[in-house]
Amino acid sequence: MDAVLAYIGGWSVAGIICLVVGLALMIAEMFTPGMGLMGALGICSIIAAIILRADTLENGLITLAIILVLLFAAGIIVYRSFQKGRIANSAIILKESIDSGSTSLSNSDMQAMIGRIGIATTALRPSGIADFDGIRLDVLSDGEFIKKGDRVKVQRVEGLKILVKPYTEEN
C-alpha cells in the first residue's frame, strides 16, 4: 500500500496535466478516422507524462502499463458504443442498408416510372444518369453501352435500381 501511495505521490502537476490531456486527445482520436493531429499530440503528451513521472525505469514502465490499460479500456468502450450504443444510432454511422424513407421517391413513384421515356444525360456503361421530364435519376442499362443524349425507356424497377434499355421509334 505504501508503494502505491508513493507512486501516486510522485506525480507532479505538469505530469498529471500531460497525462490527462494526452489521454483525452487519444480518446478523441478514436472518433476520427486515420492518424491525425490529435493522435500525434496525444502521443507526445503521453510521452511527456511518462518522462515527467519516470524517476526510475520501474516507475516509467508502470506508468506506460497504466496508460496502455486505460487506452485499451477506452477503445473497448468506444468500439461497443459504435456497435450497440448511442453512437450506433446516430447520423454519423452509415447503415448497412438503405431504408425507403431515405430516398426521394417512394416505391409507387418508382413503379410509375416503368414505360417512361427519357434522355441519357451521361453515358450509360452500364450505369449513369437519365432525365425523365425534369427528373434526374440514376439508371442502369442491361449491360449495353448507351451514349449520352440517346433516348432510353424504363424497363423495370427492382428496389432502388431503375433498369433502362435504348429507345427507338420501332420498339
Side-chain angles (χ1 to χ4, degrees), residues 18 21-30 32-48 71:
C18 286
V21 168
L23 289 174
L25 287 170
M26 292 301 292
I27 292 169
E29 179 67 26
M30 292 178 191
T32 59
M35 188 65 177
L37 182 63
M38 287 187 292
L41 290 175
I43 289 171
C44 291
S45 183
I46 286 174
I47 290 172
L71 288 176

Side-chain angles (χ1 to χ4, degrees), residues 2 4 27-28 48-49 52 67 85 87 90 92 103 111 116 119 127 129 142 150 161 171:
D2 290 334
V4 173
I27 292 169
L52 288 171
I67 290 170
I87 296 173
S90 72
I92 65 169
T103 61
Q111 294 300 324
R116 290 192 59 185
I119 297 175
S127 66
I129 299 173
D142 277 336
D150 285 358
K161 289 192 278 187
N171 61 5

Side-chain angles (χ1 to χ4, degrees), residues 145-164:
F145 176 78
I146 300 174
K147 293 185 293 188
K148 177 181 176 180
D150 285 358
R151 293 170 54 148
V152 294
K153 182 176 182 180
V154 177
Q155 270 185 296
R156 64 186 186 276
V157 176
E158 296 175 356
L160 295 175
K161 289 192 278 187
I162 303 169
L163 299 156
V164 298

Side-chain angles (χ1 to χ4, degrees), residues 67-144:
I67 290 170
L68 291 176
V69 167
L70 289 173
L71 288 176
F72 183 74
I76 289 174
I77 292 168
V78 169
Y79 177 76
R80 287 187 48 82
S81 183
F82 273 117
Q83 293 296 316
K84 301 175 186 170
R86 294 175 66 186
I87 296 173
N89 298 325
S90 72
I92 65 169
I93 302 297
L94 296 175
K95 306 298 182 225
E96 291 182 18
S97 63
I98 298 173
D99 58 351
S100 61
S102 67
T103 61
S104 61
L105 296 173
S106 68
N107 193 33
S108 61
D109 291 340
M110 297 293 272
Q111 294 300 324
M113 296 295 291
I114 296 175
R116 290 192 59 185
I117 299 168
I119 297 175
T121 57
T122 64
L124 306 182
R125 30 181 141 186
S127 66
I129 299 173
D131 184 83
F132 298 92
D133 298 324
I135 301 172
R136 291 174 47 103
L137 297 172
D138 291 324
V139 296
L140 187 65
S141 72
D142 277 336
E144 60 184 292

